[in-house]
Amino acid sequence: MHGSGSAPKAYGIDYGAPADNETALLEANDCYALGAYDIAADRYTELVMQRWNALLSHAR
């Protein structure tokens, strides 16, 4: 979806590599549903703010 214009401004993906060496998408979540975990506070805040601003621009 990258570059398609249909992906949200900020999102997270989880993926894995099963035994067959294929890459498997486990889940994709909008930014507002992500936890901060190992992300620095300033980077996480910027990520959330970019997505929030994108959501607000569509609400007008």
Side-chain angles (χ1 to χ4, degrees):
M1 288 178 47
H2 180 70
S4 69
S6 61
K9 178 81 172 177
Y11 56 92
I13 58 171
D14 291 329
Y15 60 91
D20 61 7
N21 292 323
E22 294 288 326
T23 300
L25 175 65
L26 302 177
E27 64 180 339
N29 295 298
D30 202 321
C31 174
Y32 64 79
L34 299 178
Y37 302 110
D38 292 326
I39 303 171
D42 57 340
R43 295 191 69 161
Y44 180 72
T45 301
E46 180 63 26
L47 180 74
V48 172
M49 291 304 299
Q50 283 187 25
R51 182 58 180 141
W52 179 251
N53 289 330
L55 288 168
L56 287 179
S57 71
H58 292 291
R60 297 177 186 160

